[in-house]
Amino acid sequence: MSHFKIRWNHFALKLKHTFTISRSSRTEVPVMFIELEKDGIIGFGEASPNARYDETPEKVEAVFAGLNPEIFDSVNTPEEVEQALDALNIDVHCARFAIEMAWLDWWAKSQGQPLWKLWGAETPVGPVTSFTIGIDTVENMVLKIKEADQYPVYKVKLGTDHDHEIIKAIRSVTDKPIRVDANEGWKTVEQAVEEIDFLNGMDIELIEQPMPSSQFNDMVVLKSKATVPLAADESFIGDEDLEELSEGFHVINIKLMKIASLVKAKRVLDNAHALGLKVMIGCMIESSLANAAGALLGLWADYVDLDGHVLISNDPFTGLTINGKGQIELSHEPGFGISKR
Ligand code: MG
């Protein structure tokens, strides 16, 4: 039996604008790409390591280097690749995701089919994606809104001492739906309620992670007082009890790099919907390769925030589009429909 050849490489994604959230500021993001090749077919995967969870490119590389291609010998379905990788107990989530993604890409390509079709989606066109405006001076944030005129929805990062000024200035130049990401910026229920009421008055559609993930009990109180839907991002990695989460949030944000598996993510999305939770698909700073996996999941989601690849200036892949209506759209090519530039 022939085995997969496994290759990987480091890559630095360059950001068009220095990207600032309430925790940090960056101009470049290191990612890793992996390829699984067999029978003349290559499957692509991407890992975007998250410093919050102590992930580094070196740790990702160690996982890739230690991967024994024989584990795929008896793998023939998405469920089987999920099980085979679960058995390895890979603790670097983005690395586990990248390997699974590469196998899924290879598997769909080996059948000459786009994965969205094999998974039963009727169309490769998903919801409109929001475009993220990072923290900057008020003037620059307004400028970025104007520059991003082709996007129908904005996501504005907050957590500064002049959040009101930012939102008022942005609202004065656009009527489009605005989502806000506080990235755990508000520390008490009182402060959060005050901010949420202000944002409700500014016609904000959704607020992501108002308070620190360590303050879940406060989130439960906050949800009962909130006048705008609240989404769990830092509060949701992938294994949390969804029923419990629904007491503190209206929406969960699934990010593939955190949940570590696209196959699992689809199941979690269905379970969340069954509990009345809405689902947003988010991303890290990543190329259009990994974002194509997010876009696939986004075909079943309520909200999509998949702009990671448009925030960078050196995307090495092509095949994922944001169409004229601002919807994220996969190609009709086999696998994830992504190829190297
Ligand atoms: Mg977020």
Side-chain angles (χ1 to χ4, degrees):
M1 174 178 275
S2 73
H3 296 298
F4 280 103
K5 286 194 192 94
I6 305 173
R7 292 184 292 272
W8 60 88
N9 64 284
H10 290 264
F11 193 85
L13 300 175
K14 293 192 189 333
L15 290 162
K16 290 176 186 165
H17 294 286
T18 301
F19 194 73
T20 303
I21 62 169
S22 66
R23 282 189 298 272
S24 64
S25 202
R26 325 183 267 182
T27 54
E28 230 181 57
V29 176
V31 295
M32 292 210 64
F33 297 116
I34 183 169
E35 296 181 14
L36 296 182
E37 179 175 5
K38 197 171 80 168
D39 307 331
I41 297 165
I42 303 175
F44 298 115
E46 175 176 358
S48 181
N50 190 336
R52 182 184 168 90
Y53 305 109
D54 287 324
E55 294 181 350
T56 62
E58 291 68 33
K59 285 185 185 174
V60 174
E61 183 162 26
V63 172
F64 291 169
L67 186 64
N68 178 354
E70 290 178 19
I71 68 151
F72 299 111
D73 285 355
S74 54
V75 165
N76 296 298
T77 66
E79 292 70 30
E80 286 169 5
V81 78
E82 184 193 15
Q83 284 163 18
L85 291 172
D86 280 351
L88 299 180
N89 286 316
I90 298 167
D91 59 358
V92 186
H93 287 194
C94 67
R96 190 208 173 285
F97 163 73
I99 298 165
E100 189 193 90
M101 181 186 180
W103 187 87
L104 290 169
D105 191 39
W106 180 89
W107 175 73
K109 283 173 174 168
S110 74
Q111 299 172 68
Q113 294 284 335
L115 190 55
W116 59 265
K117 224 174 229 181
L118 290 175
W119 277 13
E122 280 166 17
T123 162
V125 182
V128 293
T129 179
S130 52
F131 180 81
T132 303
I133 309 293
I135 293 172
D136 204 329
T137 61
V138 177
E139 296 69 32
N140 282 343
M141 288 178 83
V142 167
L143 204 65
K144 285 180 192 170
I145 290 276
K146 289 179 178 165
E147 274 174 23
D149 196 41
Q150 72 266 38
Y151 298 98
V153 185
Y154 299 114
K155 171 164 142 181
V156 179
K157 295 278 190 180
L158 292 183
T160 71
D161 55 6
H162 55 283
D163 287 353
H164 292 207
E165 202 189 328
I166 290 171
I167 293 296
K168 281 183 193 161
I170 290 175
R171 254 299 163 238
S172 73
V173 295
T174 182
D175 291 333
K176 289 179 189 171
I178 296 177
R179 301 170 189 164
V180 153
D181 192 348
N183 282 118
E184 311 185 293
W186 305 325
K187 308 302 179 194
T188 66
V189 172
E190 292 66 33
Q191 184 193 10
V193 167
E194 208 172 286
E195 295 305 317
I196 292 168
D197 286 345
F198 164 76
L199 293 170
N200 184 35
M202 290 284 117
D203 197 19
I204 298 304
E205 181 188 38
L206 179 96
I207 301 170
E208 216 174 286
Q209 200 67 38
M211 301 184 72
S213 58
S214 58
Q215 293 175 226
F216 183 71
N217 292 341
D218 286 338
M219 280 302 314
V220 175
V221 179
L222 188 61
K223 188 188 173 190
S224 70
K225 298 174 189 266
T227 47
V228 178
L230 306 175
D233 184 6
E234 285 85 345
S235 286
F236 180 70
I237 297 173
D239 288 327
E240 290 80 359
D241 185 313
L242 293 176
E243 209 163 342
E244 195 182 326
L245 263 186
S246 72
E247 291 168 17
F249 295 94
H250 306 84
V251 181
I252 57 165
N253 186 348
I254 301 180
K255 288 180 177 165
L256 291 167
M257 295 295 168
K258 293 201 295 188
I259 198 167
S261 162
L262 179 59
V263 182
K264 174 180 173 178
K266 177 65 170 70
R267 199 167 54 236
V268 167
L269 180 147
D270 291 338
N271 291 343
H273 278 162
L275 287 166
L277 275 163
K278 296 219 165 167
V279 177
M280 169 187 277
I281 307 304
C283 62
M284 307 296 179
I285 301 294
E286 50 198 48
S287 83
S288 53
L289 177 60
N291 256 357
L296 179 76
L297 195 57
L299 298 178
W300 292 276
D302 306 284
Y303 305 96
V304 160
D305 177 32
L306 293 171
D307 62 349
H309 66 293
V310 296
L311 299 174
I312 58 175
S313 60
N314 62 338
D315 192 341
F317 291 91
T318 176
L320 180 67
T321 34
I322 293 175
N323 68 22
K325 292 178 180 164
Q327 296 161 311
I328 196 99
E329 185 166 342
L330 289 150
S331 90
H332 288 258
E333 296 298 311
F336 287 97
I338 297 296
S339 49
K340 286 185 184 172
R341 263 180 215 279

